[in-house]
Amino acid sequence: MSDDVIYLDYNASTPCDPRVVEAMLPYLTGTFANPSSRHHRPGRDAFTALEEARSTVARFLGAKSATEIVFTSGATEANNLALMGVSGVRGERGRHIVTQVTEHPSVLEPLIHLRDSGWDVTEIGVDSDGRVRLDELSGALRDDTVLISLMLANNETGVIQPVAQAAELARERGALIHCDAAQAVGKLTVDIAALNVNLLTLSGHKLYAPKGIGALFLRRSRPPVRLPPLFRGGGHEHGLRSGTPNLPGAVALARALEIACGDLATEMDRLADLRDRLEVKVVGELDDCSVNGSMAHRLPGTSNLSFAGIEGNALLASLPDLAVSTGSACTSAHSQASPVLLAMGVQPALARASLRLSVGRFTTADEVDRAAARIVEEVTRLRSI
Ligand SMILES: *Cc1c(COP(=O)(O)O)cnc(C)c1O
């Protein structure tokens, strides 16, 4: 990364932790064989390493068994596999799915596709804090509802949804529940047993592992979820995801989870302190600057700020020394107001005047101080012209 740019975009992607790189390197050169080639020793070694990585991922997520973990290319694929898969096997029972409006595009787009093919999809709203209301969620459930899809933490605001309570509602109605936890794993305690979800998505590059690896947790009991695959071929990953597995990626994901879970409580406090330090310095210095999203239910490292009277894109353009985002990375090419903020009732002009700042493992207090000073400086300058 260029040294002169302060990176505050950890929600878009994280650098690999050097310990993760160290763990995966032997699987790029030495133990490189195809894990399916179990007729020879190198293949068996690769297979053993893959299954060890799977067990580690299962253990740190609180899954009952390693067979519940399917490695994918990332969270987008895991979300597609979950949603298209459940629709493939549950269509007989009913054709209704409930989700909410601030989900990631990799959840919303497959659901739009399902709607086009005859499914009924209810997208419930959020309150001004960015959270779904459980009574509204409960009211949206019907006898033909087969699935709820609810994210754990939002990528733009960091707002945390009441997933465990939603899982309770799903169970009462005999529906399954899928959770996109791409922003939550490694940042919060994510315990599948406590959340009680049937399916859960995670992504490597959001937790200091490389891009191109992720996983879907798929509960095999009460009830066992059996899905049809997205890709057909050699039958890898219990037939759910054909294609030679990304062994270095799987090893990296396992190591990344181990590191993140190792000092989670301390790191959560440190990130919350950095985030609060940033907000105190920016919101304290500027008039008409507001924090978007629930203060009580928010990821420790995410801050979404609105600055009345300016354009977020103009602010971005005047801050080339900061790597930050307006809205989600996926929509930042368009200068539209963030649908996430609009759904929370933020006025369009204010929604277009927002920045997402996300701190992470390698962020220092000095970087936060310098970034805050630059934001204050540029907002003040833009407001004066
Ligand atoms: C980043 C992200 C995704 C997509 O993850 P990839 O691994 O890049 O496909 C999905 N959901 C959320 C909430 C995310 O933040």
Side-chain angles (χ1 to χ4, degrees):
M1 191 180 2
S2 32
D3 287 339
D4 48 346
V5 174
I6 300 174
Y7 189 82
L8 298 178
D9 207 12
Y10 278 81
N11 284 15
S13 197
T14 60
C16 280
D17 188 297
R19 291 167 289 179
V20 169
V21 176
E22 191 189 358
M24 75 187 282
L25 279 180
Y27 300 92
L28 295 169
T29 50
T31 312
F32 65 87
N34 192 322
S36 302
S37 304
R38 277 189 274 165
H39 52 280
H40 54 59
R41 166 82 189 281
R44 284 193 295 275
D45 288 348
F47 176 80
T48 303
L50 182 67
E51 295 313 309
E52 266 171 24
R54 197 186 308 281
S55 297
T56 304
V57 172
R59 179 156 44 90
F60 283 104
L61 291 177
K64 278 216 182 88
S65 141
T67 60
E68 297 180 312
I69 303 298
V70 181
F71 289 117
T72 66
S73 64
T76 298
E77 187 190 324
N79 285 340
N80 274 266
L81 177 60
L83 300 168
M84 302 311 291
V86 169
S87 73
V89 287
R90 291 271 155 152
E92 308 280 86
R93 295 174 63 131
R95 292 168 78 80
H96 181 231
I97 297 178
V98 178
T99 188
Q100 60 91 25
V101 66
T102 73
E103 291 292 317
H104 190 269
S106 58
V107 166
L108 293 178
E109 291 294 325
L111 291 179
I112 288 170
H113 176 73
L114 284 174
R115 189 180 272 161
D116 290 344
S117 42
W119 281 71
D120 203 358
V121 179
T122 303
E123 226 176 66
I124 65 169
V126 292
D127 62 17
S128 58
D129 269 358
R131 302 189 89 215
V132 298
R133 286 182 26 205
L134 288 167
D135 54 348
E136 198 179 337
L137 179 62
S138 172
L141 298 178
R142 315 188 309 217
D143 291 341
D144 63 341
T145 307
V146 294
L147 180 71
I148 296 174
S149 187
L150 182 63
M151 71 196 327
L152 193 47
N154 184 270
N155 40 303
E156 289 187 43
T157 58
V159 168
I160 296 164
Q161 299 292 354
V163 172
Q165 292 90 324
E168 201 57 52
L169 294 174
R171 200 153 332 97
E172 282 166 14
R173 300 299 292 255
L176 301 177
I177 179 164
H178 162 251
C179 175
D180 176 357
Q183 287 293 346
V185 173
K187 298 177 188 162
L188 303 171
T189 306
V190 175
D191 177 6
I192 282 166
L195 286 176
N196 225 335
V197 293
N198 302 93
L199 304 116
L200 182 134
T201 290
L202 65 152
S203 173
H205 76 101
K206 304 289 173 74
L207 76 140
Y208 310 94
K211 293 154 190 68
I213 187 72
L216 180 68
F217 157 81
L218 181 69
R219 200 157 72 199
R220 303 278 186 185
S221 59
R222 300 179 304 119
V225 185
R226 289 198 186 81
L227 302 185
L230 282 180
F231 310 150
R232 292 180 173 79
H236 309 83
E237 300 289 303
H238 309 290
L240 261 167
R241 207 279 184 175
S242 283
T244 306
N246 178 355
L247 172 60
V251 169
L253 183 64
R255 182 73 181 115
L257 265 175
E258 188 177 40
I259 293 169
C261 295
D263 64 350
L264 189 57
T266 334
E267 183 64 356
M268 282 174 72
D269 286 346
R270 194 186 73 89
L271 293 179
D273 285 348
L274 286 175
R275 191 262 325 270
D276 293 346
R277 184 181 180 109
L278 183 75
E279 288 185 347
V280 164
K281 284 181 192 269
V282 174
V283 183
E285 287 287 317
L286 291 169
D287 293 331
D288 299 321
C289 169
S290 45
V291 180
N292 297 309
S294 166
M295 298 301 272
H297 303 278
R298 197 158 58 129
L299 286 178
T302 307
S303 177
N304 191 301
L305 302 174
S306 284
F307 308 93
I310 61 160
E311 282 288 332
N313 282 342
L315 182 56
L316 267 195
S318 59
L319 290 168
D321 46 341
L322 304 188
V324 298
S325 291
T326 59
S328 72
C330 317
T331 56
S332 62
H334 318 264
S335 70
Q336 286 154 353
S338 150
V340 170
L341 298 182
L342 294 179
M344 292 159 61
V346 176
Q347 291 306 309
L350 208 50
R352 277 197 305 275
S354 66
L355 281 190
R356 175 188 71 185
L357 307 155
S358 43
V359 297
R361 187 171 293 161
F362 304 107
T363 308
T364 63
D366 176 59
E367 285 179 315
V368 161
D369 291 352
R370 284 189 287 136
R374 286 287 295 128
I375 293 167
V376 168
E377 183 178 31
E378 291 304 324
V379 170
T380 308
R381 190 183 62 80
L382 286 168
R383 279 178 176 170
S384 72
I385 54 181

